[in-house]
């Protein structure tokens, strides 16, 4: 493992906003996590009768859907608008104050299929005899203009597009920018809407669960697609204290890597996942006996969940301490590029409220471990000092973030 | 910030698919027959099922990474697999593949949707093809619209990698090119395919074999799309360009010798040149990289840095860039912009 350099700058979470099928704001989302209220049900915005499943986690209050004209608000932008509003209020921030930070406030965003909203529109219109190349030219400028107008952020705008690990990696990148004194504040975003592009795409891979995903269950049979948007404000600790910001948690480290194994499947040995979790712990300066909770990627596929349990169990070298793990995807569905940010919020809530969440739809776990506890039943109140959130993606990309109580 | 050494370069461009060919062409009389808006030739070493599955975006990424490794002359062994990272960026990702899959979906026949095509639609697909054969297991991620180098520098600074392949790929897509030709107002600049990978490290042991080092980096968002800039918010935009260049110049211990501008359309170029002269009055300006190489969208910043690195290494500014004369080439500020509106400035210095 590389010898990581430490510096004095600390990163804390000072605001959050979220919109998923399992909660359209942070309070509702927390309630869903505590009481296992799933957002997975029959899709009503697209006709999925020809696909292996018509079950998705859909945000019912968002009515925006195709077709989209140029400069019209898309489903992605509607979700983003809601999330930005909640986050800015929660963090007690205003556009004018953000503009005054100039390049010291940046954006780091994770998106996956949401980048194809305009491309898909282009193809459909072209087939209908109405070819409009402006759709190709304007993407993703339309998303950036939307965010800029609402937030006033002048610093760097970065989009991470590493598929299902996108917003976790974006979170890590933002942390690095603050730690390396390139920024004092970062808005981390993750957003991906439901789309026919992703629904038909994952259907083609034949890994969709017919009735809804069952992470870690011995009868698990695939993923359920969801949609969502989530945002977190990260700040340099001294700056946050100076403006009396509400501090939810501190970010102690993150890890990133590549399995270098297969284009779509994870390395079953769990080496890559183990490495990124270990990297985040090394940066934080903690060992596994201090880790309380892991919010798993936990998609509900045989391969991912087996690999992840293997990797997490490997962290725990004896049975002197229990580490709890769950997956929230049976509530929110797999939100693709937004999954990381959604699940980091769940992890922050776990730390803030000292609770580990259950795994909805898990009847009987694949494996039983002495030290790693796959939290099956409803949530449990325990002290959560340190927690990890994992995301694993196509092309071998992996990312883990370690969050904890402010030291 | 430690110095980040640029050890190796791999490239596909209108000027050729190796640094040797590019330098040779830059130093010869400008070839009026350089072609833009077409796919360029290259041959990557990828075998079997990986080669069969990969699309152009992935193949070109593999090629420029392999070439940068060969160019660097660095030796790797198995113990280093977690210390070698891959951080890439693209303006539009595998656009051709995404349009192809969108076309399949729009017929609403599930059996016509190819899982191979879908798995290549994710922008980071090329990372799988790069990492699998060579077992690069270190830090790895894909950026969209913005540049891979600032984050690579951060990761090296934090000790999360010893070596990073920092690449940018903008593979050929005829409809994407057509959209830029129609909607951007880049004047006489042609749209071109481009892919460049740098092998970077901040280990001083690599200093002697490096092209140059990156001493500083600044980014700011201009609040506009430079590709179709029409002169609006001029004061604001100029202020931000000026701020960025002044800030990055503060990393230099000596005078800045040259500034490579980002370029763009007439309105933006005028504004940028004014800002450069105000920030660094004595430096000469190289402002025609895009006229020579074409507008390579998400790869344009990398192209600018590649040319600057070649100039520093060879201690020469080719006549296609500036009139030949004796000049110091120790510190170059290289500017660029991306399709998220970020303006980025790097200070590149002689090792």
């Amino acid at each position: 493992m590389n010898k990581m350099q430490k510096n004095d700058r600390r990163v804390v979470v000072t605001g959050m906003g979220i919109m998923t099928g399992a909660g359209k704001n942070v309070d509702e989302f927390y309630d869903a996590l505590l009481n296992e209220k799933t957002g997975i049900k029959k899709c009503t915005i697209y006709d999925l009768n020809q696909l292996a499943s018509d079950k998705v986690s859909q945000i019912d209050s968002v009515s925006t859907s195709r077709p989209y004209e140029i400069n019209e608000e898309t489903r992605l932008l509607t979700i983003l608008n809601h999330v930005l509003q909640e986050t800015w209020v929660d963090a007690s921030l205003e556009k004018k104050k953000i503009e005054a930070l100039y390049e010291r406030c940046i954006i780091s965003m994770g998106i996956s299929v949401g980048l194809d909203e305009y491309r898909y529109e282009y193809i459909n219109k072209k087939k209908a005899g109405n070819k409009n190349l402006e759709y190709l030219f304007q993407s993703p400028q339309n998303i950036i203009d939307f965010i800029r107008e609402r937030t006033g952020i002048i610093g760097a705008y970065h989009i991470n597009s590493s598929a299902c690990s996108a917003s976790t990696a974006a979170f890590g990148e933002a942390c690095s920018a603050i730690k390396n004194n390139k920024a004092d504040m970062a808005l981390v975003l993750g957003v991906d809407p439901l789309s026919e592009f992703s629904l038909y795409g994952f259907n083609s891979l034949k890994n969709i669960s017919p009735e809804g995903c069952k992470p870690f269950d011995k009868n698990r049979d695939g993923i359920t697609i969801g949609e969502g948007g989530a945002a977190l404000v990260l700040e340099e600790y001294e700056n946050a204290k100076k403006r009396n910001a509400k501090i939810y948690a501190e970010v102690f480290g993150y890890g990133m890597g590549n399995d270098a194994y297969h284009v779509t499947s994870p390395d079953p040995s769990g080496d890559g996942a183990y490495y990124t979790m270990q990297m985040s712990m090394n940066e934080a300066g903690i060992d596994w006996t201090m880790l309380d909770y892991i919010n798993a990627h936990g998609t509900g596929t045989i391969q991912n969940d087996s690999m992840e349990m293997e990797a997490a169990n490997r962290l725990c070298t004896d049975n002197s301490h229990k580490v709890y793990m769950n997956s929230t995807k049976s509530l929110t569905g797999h939100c693709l590029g937004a999954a990381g940010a959604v699940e980091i919020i769940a992890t922050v809530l776990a730390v803030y409220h000292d609770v580990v969440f259950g795994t909805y739809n898990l009847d009987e776990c694949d494996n039983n471990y002495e030290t790693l506890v796959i939290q099956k039943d409803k949530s449990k109140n325990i002290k959560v000092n340190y927690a990890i959130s994992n995301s694993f993606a196509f092309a071998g990309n992996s990312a883990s973030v370690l969050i904890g109580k402010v030291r | 910030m430690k110095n980040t050494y640029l050890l190796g370069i791999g490239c596909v461009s209108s000027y050729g698919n190796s640094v040797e060919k590019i330098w040779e062409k830059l130093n010869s009389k400008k070839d009026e027959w350089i072609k833009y808006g077409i796919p360029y030739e290259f041959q990557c070493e990828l075998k079997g099922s990986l080669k069969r599955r990969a699309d152009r975006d992935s193949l070109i990424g593999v090629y420029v990474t392999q070439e940068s490794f060969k160019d660097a002359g660095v030796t790797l062994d198995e113990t280093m697999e977690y210390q070698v990272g891959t951080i890439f960026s693209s303006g539009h990702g595998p656009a051709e593949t995404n349009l192809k899959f969108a076309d399949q979906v729009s017929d609403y026949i599930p059996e016509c949707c190819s899982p191979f095509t879908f798995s290549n639609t994710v922008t980071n697909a090329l990372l799988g093809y790069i990492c699998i054969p060579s077992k690069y297991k270190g830090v790895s991620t894909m950026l969209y619209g913005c540049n891979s180098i600032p984050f690579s520098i951060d990761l090296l600074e934090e000790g999360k990698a010893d070596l990073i392949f920092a690449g940018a790929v903008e593979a050929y897509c005829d409809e994407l090119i057509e959209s830029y030709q129609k909607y951007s107002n880049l004047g006489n600049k042609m749209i071109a395919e481009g892919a460049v990978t740098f092998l970077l490290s901040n280990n001083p042991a690599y200093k002697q074999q490096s092209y140059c080092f990156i001493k500083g980096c600044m980014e700011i968002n201009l609040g506009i799309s430079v590709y179709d800039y029409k002169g609006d918010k001029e004061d604001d935009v100029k202020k931000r360009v000026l701020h960025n260049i002044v800030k990055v110049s503060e990393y230099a211990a000596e005078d800045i010798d040259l500034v490579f501008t980002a370029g763009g359309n007439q309105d933006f170029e005028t504004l940028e040149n004014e800002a450069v002269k105000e920030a660094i009055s004595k430096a000469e300006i190289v402002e025609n990289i895009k006229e020579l190489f074409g507008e390579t969208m998400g790869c344009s910043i990398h192209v600018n840095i590649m040319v600057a690195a070649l100039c520093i290494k060879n201690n020469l500014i080719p006549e296609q860039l500036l009139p030949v004369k004796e000049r110091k080439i120790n510190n170059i500020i290289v500017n660029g912009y991306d399709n998220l509106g970020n303006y980025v400035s790097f200070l590149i210095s002689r090792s």
Side-chain angles (χ1 to χ4, degrees):
Chain A
M1 190 71 60
N2 304 316
K3 198 169 178 180
M4 278 177 257
Q5 304 301 314
K6 287 193 182 301
N7 66 34
D8 292 334
R9 287 174 67 87
R10 295 164 62 181
V11 182
V12 291
V13 178
T14 57
M16 301 191 290
I18 197 165
M19 194 181 208
T20 69
K24 45 185 195 303
N25 54 53
V26 174
D27 287 340
E28 272 188 27
F29 181 59
Y30 180 52
D31 180 55
L33 292 169
L34 280 179
N35 298 304
E36 302 208 313
K37 292 179 180 174
T38 184
I40 293 175
K41 54 184 184 293
K42 184 177 158 78
C43 181
T44 58
I45 59 168
Y46 302 116
D47 178 359
L48 304 182
N49 286 331
Q50 294 189 91
L51 304 187
S53 174
D54 60 3
K55 303 287 187 299
V56 297
S57 176
Q58 174 185 310
I59 304 172
D60 289 332
S61 56
V62 173
S63 58
T64 322
S65 64
R66 289 196 55 244
Y68 305 122
E69 298 305 319
I70 291 284
N71 295 326
E72 211 175 80
E73 189 169 291
T74 62
R75 193 169 180 86
L76 180 148
L77 294 179
T78 302
I79 295 170
L80 206 47
N81 191 36
H82 178 95
V83 164
L84 288 172
Q85 281 179 30
E86 186 188 7
T87 309
W88 246 217
V89 167
D90 190 44
S92 304
L93 292 171
E94 293 164 3
K95 193 172 162 182
K96 274 201 163 61
K97 287 185 182 168
I98 296 299
E99 285 168 349
L101 293 175
Y102 221 58
E103 85 276 11
R104 301 294 296 182
C105 181
I106 64 169
I107 282 190
S108 191
M109 175 162 54
I111 312 182
S112 183
V113 294
L115 293 166
D116 281 299
E117 274 188 326
Y118 265 14
R119 280 184 191 149
Y120 189 57
E121 204 59 53
Y122 165 75
I123 287 291
N124 277 280
K125 284 189 157 45
K126 182 177 146 187
K127 275 185 156 166
N130 185 14
K131 180 174 169 177
N132 184 350
L133 289 163
E134 197 174 0
Y135 283 103
L136 301 187
F137 181 71
Q138 287 294 353
S139 175
Q141 190 63 38
N142 63 317
I143 301 171
I144 298 304
D145 288 344
F146 190 89
I147 295 172
R148 190 187 291 128
E149 203 182 316
R150 279 152 184 79
T151 64
I153 292 176
I154 291 175
Y157 281 57
H158 277 210
I159 292 180
N160 189 296
S161 57
S162 57
C164 308
S165 65
S167 45
T168 305
F171 188 95
E173 188 181 354
C175 290
S176 284
I178 293 173
K179 284 197 164 174
N180 290 315
N181 203 11
K182 287 179 175 172
D184 297 311
M185 186 183 287
L187 176 63
V188 177
L189 291 165
V191 62
D192 254 335
L194 275 179
S195 73
E196 288 159 316
F197 192 98
S198 60
L199 290 163
Y200 275 74
F202 281 97
N203 186 77
S204 73
L205 292 173
K206 297 191 189 326
N207 64 358
I208 298 280
S209 169
E211 295 304 322
C213 62
K214 310 182 214 13
F216 305 122
D217 194 271
K218 65 176 190 178
N219 294 316
R220 61 188 183 274
D221 54 6
I223 73 173
T224 299
I225 301 293
E227 63 179 351
L232 301 105
V233 175
L234 299 184
E235 270 185 88
E236 193 277 324
Y237 176 62
E238 297 299 334
N239 274 301
K241 273 200 327 185
K242 212 155 97 177
R243 75 173 184 96
N244 288 321
K246 177 183 181 183
I247 297 178
Y248 284 96
E250 186 167 352
V251 186
F252 293 105
Y254 74 92
M256 255 185 198
N258 197 299
D259 274 4
Y261 175 77
H262 189 270
V263 183
T264 52
S265 302
D267 179 357
S269 74
D271 280 353
Y274 172 79
Y275 173 77
T276 57
M277 285 191 278
Q278 193 65 257
M279 192 184 205
S280 70
M281 287 162 62
N282 286 351
E283 186 175 4
I286 69 162
D287 66 32
W288 75 274
T289 60
M290 298 164 76
L291 184 65
D292 301 301
Y293 166 58
I294 299 173
N295 184 292
H297 187 55
T299 57
T301 64
I302 292 172
Q303 300 95 324
N304 177 81
D305 293 4
S306 297
M307 174 279 292
E308 194 166 11
M309 283 191 284
E310 185 61 38
N313 187 55
R314 214 201 306 176
L315 287 176
C316 316
T317 51
D318 61 54
N319 59 5
S320 60
H321 169 75
K322 290 204 184 311
V323 178
Y324 292 84
M325 185 156 93
N326 89 313
S327 169
T328 39
K329 286 188 169 73
S330 42
L331 303 177
T332 62
H334 190 343
C335 299
L336 306 179
V342 166
E343 289 155 23
I344 290 173
I345 286 185
T347 310
V348 169
L349 290 170
V351 167
Y352 191 67
H353 294 289
D354 283 322
V355 59
V356 296
F357 306 112
T359 306
Y360 172 74
N361 223 13
L362 166 58
D363 291 325
E364 191 179 336
C365 188
D366 214 12
N367 289 313
N368 288 310
Y369 301 100
E370 282 190 13
T371 310
L372 180 68
V373 178
I374 309 293
Q375 186 62 9
K376 178 174 89 135
D377 301 317
K378 286 196 164 50
S379 27
K380 186 184 178 88
N381 289 102
I382 64 161
K383 195 89 180 144
V384 181
N385 289 313
Y386 296 101
I388 282 177
S389 182
N390 285 335
S391 296
F392 308 121
F394 280 2
N397 279 137
S398 57
S400 301
V401 165
L402 199 150
I403 288 165
K405 294 209 190 320
V406 179
R407 280 180 184 160
Chain B
M1 185 183 131
K2 287 185 197 165
N3 296 330
T4 304
Y5 299 100
L6 201 163
L7 308 180
I9 305 175
C11 51
V12 169
S13 73
S14 56
Y15 266 56
N17 59 11
S18 73
V19 283
E20 290 81 17
K21 285 180 190 164
I22 287 171
W23 188 244
E24 188 190 324
K25 220 159 189 161
L26 273 172
N27 283 285
S28 54
K29 194 167 170 344
K30 184 171 185 309
D31 185 347
E32 296 301 329
W33 298 103
I34 287 181
K35 293 191 174 123
Y36 304 97
I38 58 164
Y40 299 121
E41 281 185 16
F42 63 91
Q43 197 68 248
C44 79
E45 294 161 21
L46 199 59
K47 294 190 171 87
S49 65
L50 281 178
K51 188 163 192 176
R52 193 180 67 243
R53 287 178 74 143
D55 62 1
R56 185 178 180 81
D57 194 77
S58 295
L59 290 170
I60 213 173
V62 170
Y63 173 76
V64 292
T65 306
Q66 289 172 342
E67 289 298 298
S68 71
F69 181 64
K70 286 182 209 164
D71 187 49
V74 165
T75 308
L76 296 177
D77 61 50
E78 277 172 9
T79 61
M80 294 178 73
E81 61 183 6
Y82 285 103
Q83 295 162 339
V84 181
T86 46
I87 307 293
F88 272 65
S89 52
S90 176
H92 294 275
E96 186 89 27
T97 304
N98 274 270
L99 290 173
K100 182 177 174 184
F101 192 73
D103 191 58
Q104 291 174 4
V105 173
S106 65
D107 286 334
Y108 297 106
I109 303 170
E111 296 75 26
C112 293
C113 296
S114 160
F116 290 118
T117 307
F118 177 64
S119 65
N120 282 334
T121 60
V122 290
T123 315
N124 65 324
L126 62 85
L127 292 174
Y129 294 101
I130 290 169
C131 294
I132 292 168
S134 305
K135 297 294 174 209
Y136 298 139
K137 296 184 177 179
V139 289
S140 178
T141 202
M142 188 78 195
L143 300 174
Y144 190 92
C146 48
N147 187 259
S148 60
I149 299 173
F151 187 34
S152 301
I153 293 174
D154 278 343
L155 290 165
L156 289 168
E157 187 77 13
E158 290 167 23
K160 286 186 165 145
D162 289 339
L163 292 157
I164 291 182
F165 289 100
V169 171
E170 202 73 77
Y172 172 81
C173 171
D174 59 354
E175 285 169 288
L176 180 66
I177 289 174
E178 213 184 322
S179 76
Y180 268 75
Q181 283 166 344
K182 185 165 183 179
Y183 288 100
S184 68
N185 60 344
L186 294 170
N188 60 348
K189 293 169 192 69
M190 308 297 288
I191 311 298
E193 180 178 59
V196 175
T197 294
F198 301 128
L199 182 56
L200 303 176
S201 176
N202 63 6
N203 185 341
Y206 291 120
K207 181 177 169 179
Q208 292 309 317
Q209 69 195 90
S210 65
Y211 279 80
C212 58
F213 62 91
I214 301 171
K215 215 169 168 185
C217 161
M218 285 294 301
E219 269 187 292
I220 198 165
N221 199 278
L222 298 180
I224 54 159
S225 163
V226 181
Y227 294 105
D228 59 352
Y229 183 57
K230 294 176 179 70
D232 46 311
K233 304 182 203 169
E234 193 182 323
D235 287 344
D236 216 9
V237 174
K238 187 177 166 187
K239 184 180 163 195
R240 294 181 196 188
V241 170
L242 179 62
H243 178 84
N244 220 52
I245 296 173
V246 165
K247 282 275 182 183
V248 86
S249 70
E250 288 169 5
Y251 284 98
E254 314 159 311
D255 290 343
I256 306 296
D257 304 307
L258 290 158
V259 176
F260 281 36
T261 58
N265 63 23
Q266 183 93 30
D267 286 326
F268 185 77
E269 282 181 358
T270 305
L271 174 164
E272 188 183 21
N273 283 8
E274 282 171 8
V276 169
K277 283 174 187 147
E278 201 175 318
I280 305 165
S281 55
K282 291 182 188 169
E284 288 182 273
I285 297 175
V286 171
E287 55 186 345
N288 60 345
I289 305 280
K290 283 193 198 231
E291 276 159 30
L292 302 178
F293 284 81
E295 169 59 77
T296 54
M297 298 173 282
C299 191
S300 60
I301 298 170
H302 273 60
V303 169
N304 283 8
I305 293 176
M306 173 180 67
V307 175
L310 284 168
C311 292
I312 286 187
K313 174 118 185 179
N314 293 285
N315 204 24
L316 175 72
I317 304 292
E319 202 168 354
Q320 287 186 37
L321 301 181
L322 281 176
V324 173
K325 71 174 194 190
E326 207 171 299
R327 50 168 71 87
K328 274 193 315 158
I329 311 170
N330 290 330
N331 292 299
I332 303 179
I333 287 181
V334 180
N335 299 310
Y337 60 74
D338 60 39
N339 56 324
L340 302 188
N342 297 311
Y343 189 83
V344 59
S345 304
F346 295 94
L347 175 61
I348 315 281
S349 299
R350 177 178 300 284
S351 295

